[in-house]
């Protein structure tokens, strides 16, 4: 099988099962829950085990050092006997300077695997150290993942009971983490709260009405109003809602273990308690937050606005960026502090010396955030959510939730009222759901009560009920549900695709279609190429502008550019199908797949005078050896004639006649041919220029053919079927080995021969080309085959010789050719 590239439009999100259970106290195992999430459209691609301490301290027990004496053959080692609760004490050689008799210590028994910070593992085995038996290991805290110290062994509390597993003394948290392939439209599910909402709906459909537990903000209260930061939102369209509050007297330090474990489980590295809490609330509720050091806010004022194009700003990653005039910024009275919704500034964030913060919670325009993020090549957890549209109605709720956590964990007091600038409330969507249309789309009638229960479980409000349908209000956070068809999809995914019955009877109508439909012709040619050993590939229509300079036929002015490209490598629509073929060849050769025969039905895209056009192509690419290595046949390189035979076979299958022309001054081919019919180009093929293939680091010869598929289809549609009788008389074949100038083309030979003998000459083929030793300088040798036939009688040798002499004379007089 070949390795071919495809572009997938799924986003991977990690969801902690322990975290999910904070919303729904479910006793299912992770696999059961994962299956239900997948049925609900949140496809679980994998479930991984998380351990707060890798290995979960398995195999490590409490031991008591009974004796400790100096090693007889090593100054820095000691020989100990350790009781771990078994019948016989263990003999352990230890190099720690602080080991002593009477201590309670952690002992890794034989077979235990210890893990280091860099991912390496060590299995404890019985052995000898300097001649002394060692039956385990007395551990330091860094060797178990409990800390960073390696100054000596970890000495436990003397009250610890011998033989107790160490995992019982140190709380080791284990978790199951779902890796969910999330489609971009499901912005509502980009949090544990959102995933729990879907899970609750699925459980209700199964008759399990479990309590849905949401974080409470009843403990939120303003302690005093001594530190108010004023807020002004100038660009209200780009920031429809902006909330903030100040918290003073905090202490920035390490987060408690439970927050660290939650973040580590989903792949985030803890930083400090303030930053960790903002990240926790982001992944908990789906609302991005940002904490500013309030002492760095000049003028005690926050201004949300755009700045002049070209303004310099250094972000948290220490990169100086040049702002665009449409980039929304969070500023103070003097300077910019943060790129709104994307990334903070280097000089305004929280540090270990921060004692007061201004906490921001906002709803920014999704299009604005996406454009800014792409302009600056940034992709953060915050921008990831803002780009897709978050819930505009939880900004204040999430802010209060974070403020409560900060008070509990970092101390301090809330020293201002919550500022909430929300001039134009986001409206919910109104949709009418027709029962008859719903059943028609689903293909099965679902009871009306079931439909109502599903909608209610999804927090979709039923405003009115009629015989024909339901009037619904869709919550603002479901920005992907705006039409009746969207509501039907929601009903179906909760009801369960697997619960839709298959009908025993299949009704279908027979349509009258032409035999020359595009898809039929494609299938016919694809089957032929498959039979010749070719693989069909599907390439992305998006490519990079850097490839345009390679091929002169690509024009910058006619390039169709993406307004919001996913990356610079996918910023324009392809104008030449060769680039996709070379990318596929390079991709496969980098994976040691060197012998390639590929074809693709694809399109190129062009823009001329604001009119965009698409052109269909069939491309064929050959690289490497003709066949796989085999014991009874030598490897033979693919060559021009293999490509020519493949192209001829395609046209022969379609019954298309053609006229051969050399490809002179081609921007793509170093040598090649083009076929025309009725003055229209059908296909060009040949050897790709070295400078083009070298750009993709391909050191092998590339043979490429580009069919004008649109023109081929037109010629097939207009083609009339003609019949002719099988010749009654045999063909006569004669060959010439012609020594000619290098500049002479086969086309010249072909035209001279046809003009010399129009009646008897039926076919001309070039079957060998030789350039090299034993030939005069500037000369080459062509071996040409001529097929002669008389439709009324068998040709005699005399007639054949006469024709061949005429041909030889013409070649000599017009081309200066010599017979070899």
């Amino acid at each position: 099988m070949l390795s071919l590239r495809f572009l997938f439009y799924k986003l991977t999100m990690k969801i902690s099962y322990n975290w999910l259970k904070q919303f729904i106290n479910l006793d299912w195992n992770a696999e059961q829950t994962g299956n239900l999430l997948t049925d609900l459209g949140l496809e679980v691609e994998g479930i991984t085990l998380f351990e707060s301490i890798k290995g979960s301290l398995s195999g490590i027990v409490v031991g008591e050092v009974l004796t400790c004496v100096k090693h007889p053959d090593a100054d820095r080692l000691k020989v100990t006997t350790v009781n771990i609760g078994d019948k016989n004490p263990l003999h352990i050689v230890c190099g720690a300077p602080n080991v002593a008799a009477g201590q309670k210590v952690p002992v890794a028994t034989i077979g235990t695997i210890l893990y280091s910070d860099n991912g390496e593992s060590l299995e404890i085995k019985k052995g000898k150290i300097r001649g002394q038996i060692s039956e385990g290991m007395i551990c330091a805290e860094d060797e178990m993942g409990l800390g960073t110290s390696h100054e000596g062994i970890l000495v436990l509390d003397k009250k610890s009971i011998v033989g107790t597993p160490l995992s019982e003394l140190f709380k080791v948290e284990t978790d199951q983490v779902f890796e969910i392939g999330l489609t971009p439209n499901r912005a509502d599910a980009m949090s544990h709260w959102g995933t729990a909402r879907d899970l609750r709906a699925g459980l209700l459909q199964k008759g399990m009405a479990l309590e849905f537990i949401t974080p409470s903000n009843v403990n939120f209260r303003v302690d005093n109003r001594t530190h108010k930061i004023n807020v002004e939102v100038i660009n209200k369209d780009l920031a429809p809602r902006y909330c903030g509050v100040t918290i003073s007297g905090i202490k920035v330090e390490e987060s408690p273990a439970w927050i660290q474990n939650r973040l580590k489980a989903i792949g985030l590295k803890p930083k400090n308690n303030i930053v960790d809490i903002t990240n926790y609330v982001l992944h908990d509720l789906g609302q991005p937050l940002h904490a500013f050091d309030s002492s760095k806010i000049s003028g005690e004022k926050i201004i949300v606005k755009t700045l002049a194009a070209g303004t310099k700003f250094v972000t948290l990653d220490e990169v100086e960026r040049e702002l665009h005039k449409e980039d929304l910024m969070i500023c103070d009275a003097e300077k910019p502090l943060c790129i709104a919704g994307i990334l903070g500034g280097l000089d305004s964030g929280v540090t270990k010396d921060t004692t007061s913060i201004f906490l921001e919670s906002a709803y920014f325009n999704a299009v604005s955030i996406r454009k800014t993020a792409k302009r600056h090549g940034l992709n953060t957890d915050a921008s990831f959510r803002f780009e897709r549209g978050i819930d505009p109605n939880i900004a204040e709720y999430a802010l209060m939730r974070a403020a409560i956590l900060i008070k509990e964990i970092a101390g301090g007091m809330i020293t201002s009222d919550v500022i909430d600038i929300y001039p134009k409330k986001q409206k919910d969507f109104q949709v009418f759901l027709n029962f008859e249309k719903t059943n028609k789309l689903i293909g099965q009638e679902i009871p009306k009560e079931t439909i109502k229960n599903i909608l209610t479980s999804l927090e979709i409000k039923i405003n009115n009920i009629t015989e024909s349908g339901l009037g619904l209000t869709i919550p603002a956070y479901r920005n992907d549900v705006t039409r009746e068809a969207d509501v039907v999809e929601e009903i179906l995914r909760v009801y369960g695709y697997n619960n839709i019955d298959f009908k025993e009877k299949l009704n279908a109508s027979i349509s009258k279609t032409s035999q020359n439909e595009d898809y039929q012709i494609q299938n016919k040619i694809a089957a032929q190429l498959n039979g010749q050993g070719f693989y069909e590939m599907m390439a992305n229509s998006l490519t990079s502008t850097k490839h345009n300079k390679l091929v002169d036929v690509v024009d910058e002015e006619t390039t169709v550019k993406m307004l919001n490209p996913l990356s610079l490598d996918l910023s324009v629509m392809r104008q030449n199908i060769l680039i996709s073929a070379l990318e596929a060849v390079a991709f496969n050769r980098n994976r040691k797949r060197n012998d390639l025969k590929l074809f693709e039905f694809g399109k190129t895209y062009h823009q001329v005078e604001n009119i965009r056009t698409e052109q269909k192509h069939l491309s064929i690419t050959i690289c490497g050896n003709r066949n796989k290595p085999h014991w009874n046949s030598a490897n033979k390189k693919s060559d021009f004639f293999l490509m020519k035979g493949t192209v001829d076979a395609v046209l022969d299958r379609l019954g298309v006649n053609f006229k051969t022309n050399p490809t002179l001054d081609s921007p793509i081919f170093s040598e090649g041919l083009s076929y025309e019919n009725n003055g229209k180009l059908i296909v060009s093929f040949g050897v790709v220029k070295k400078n083009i293939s070298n750009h993709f680091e391909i050191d092998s010869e590339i043979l490429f053919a580009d069919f004008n598929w649109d023109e081929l289809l037109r010629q097939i549609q207009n083609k009339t079927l003609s019949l002719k009788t099988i010749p009654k008389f045999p063909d006569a074949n004669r060959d010439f080995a012609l020594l000619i100038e290098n500049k002479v083309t086969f086309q010249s030979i072909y035209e001279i021969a046809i003009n010399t003998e129009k009646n008897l000459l039926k076919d001309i083929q070039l079957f060998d080309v030789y350039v090299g030793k034993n030939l005069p300088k500037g000369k080459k040798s062509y071996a040409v085959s001529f097929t002669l036939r008389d439709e009324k009688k068998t040709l005699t040798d005399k007639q054949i010789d006469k024709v061949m002499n005429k041909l030889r004379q013409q070649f000599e007089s017009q081309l200066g050719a010599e017979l070899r």
Side-chain angles (χ1 to χ4, degrees), residues 235 238-239 303-313 315 321-331 336 338-342 364-365 367-378:
N235 299 84
L238 303 184
I303 305 171
V304 184
K305 62 180 181 178
T306 56
L307 297 175
T311 301
K312 306 292 186 183
F313 180 66
T315 45
R321 304 180 187 276
E322 191 172 298
L323 300 179
H324 187 273
K325 64 179 181 180
E326 294 179 359
D327 291 341
L328 186 66
M329 302 295 294
I330 310 300
C331 308
C338 172
I339 302 179
I342 301 175
F364 296 117
N365 180 281
V367 175
S368 171
I369 297 298
R370 180 170 177 78
K371 286 183 177 180
T372 297
K374 296 307 174 188
R375 272 194 292 266
H376 295 290
L378 293 170

Side-chain angles (χ1 to χ4, degrees), residues 271-405:
K271 295 181 179 179
N272 60 57
N273 49 8
I274 304 301
V275 173
D276 292 349
I277 288 169
T278 61
N279 283 331
Y280 176 82
V281 173
L282 165 66
H283 291 276
D284 190 46
L285 304 178
Q287 172 65 54
L289 305 172
H290 190 73
F292 299 91
D293 187 328
S294 63
S295 67
K296 298 173 183 177
I297 300 176
S298 301
E300 305 239 320
K301 186 173 185 179
I302 290 289
I303 305 171
V304 184
K305 62 180 181 178
T306 56
L307 297 175
T311 301
K312 306 292 186 183
F313 180 66
V314 181
T315 45
L316 200 58
D317 54 3
E318 300 182 0
V319 175
E320 183 180 74
R321 304 180 187 276
E322 191 172 298
L323 300 179
H324 187 273
K325 64 179 181 180
E326 294 179 359
D327 291 341
L328 186 66
M329 302 295 294
I330 310 300
C331 308
D332 61 18
E334 298 176 358
K335 61 187 180 299
L337 303 174
C338 172
I339 302 179
I342 301 175
L343 190 61
L346 183 63
D347 300 321
S348 62
V350 173
T351 67
K352 60 183 177 62
D353 299 320
T354 298
T355 57
S356 63
I357 61 170
F358 175 77
L359 188 62
E360 167 197 278
S361 178
Y363 172 68
F364 296 117
N365 180 281
V367 175
S368 171
I369 297 298
R370 180 170 177 78
K371 286 183 177 180
T372 297
K374 296 307 174 188
R375 272 194 292 266
H376 295 290
L378 293 170
N379 182 23
T380 62
D381 280 341
S383 68
F384 179 80
R385 286 158 177 79
F386 279 127
E387 288 175 17
R388 290 157 180 82
I390 63 169
D391 184 356
N393 297 320
I394 66 164
E396 183 183 39
Y397 172 71
L399 182 74
M400 291 180 175
R401 170 68 172 150
I404 291 170
L405 288 172

Side-chain angles (χ1 to χ4, degrees), residues 591-619:
R591 287 152 183 80
K592 306 302 181 184
R593 303 179 187 274
N594 299 318
D595 303 329
L596 302 170
K597 296 167 80 174
L598 309 173
F599 71 96
E600 178 192 9
F601 292 98
K603 295 180 180 180
T604 56
Y605 305 84
H606 312 267
Q607 180 171 290
V608 181
E609 297 180 354
N610 295 325
I611 298 175
R612 292 175 181 168
T613 61
E614 298 179 5
Q615 298 174 6
K616 294 180 181 178
H617 298 259
L618 163 63
S619 71

Side-chain angles (χ1 to χ4, degrees), residues 559-585:
T559 300
V560 181
K561 299 178 181 179
M562 304 301 294
L563 293 177
N564 297 307
L566 294 171
S567 70
L568 293 177
D569 288 336
L570 300 169
S571 58
V572 296
M573 306 290 282
R574 64 181 177 188
Q575 281 190 282
N576 192 292
I577 204 164
L578 169 66
I579 300 302
S580 299
L582 293 177
E583 287 178 329
V585 170

Side-chain angles (χ1 to χ4, degrees), residues 420-445:
D420 186 4
I421 301 175
Y422 195 14
K424 188 178 180 181
K425 188 173 181 181
Q426 194 88 357
K427 292 183 179 180
D428 294 334
F429 304 106
Q430 304 297 319
V431 175
F432 182 78
L433 179 70
N434 183 281
F435 289 132
E436 184 179 352
K437 190 172 181 181
T438 299
N439 294 331
K440 185 177 179 181
L441 283 173
I442 292 175
Q444 179 176 312
E445 184 174 347

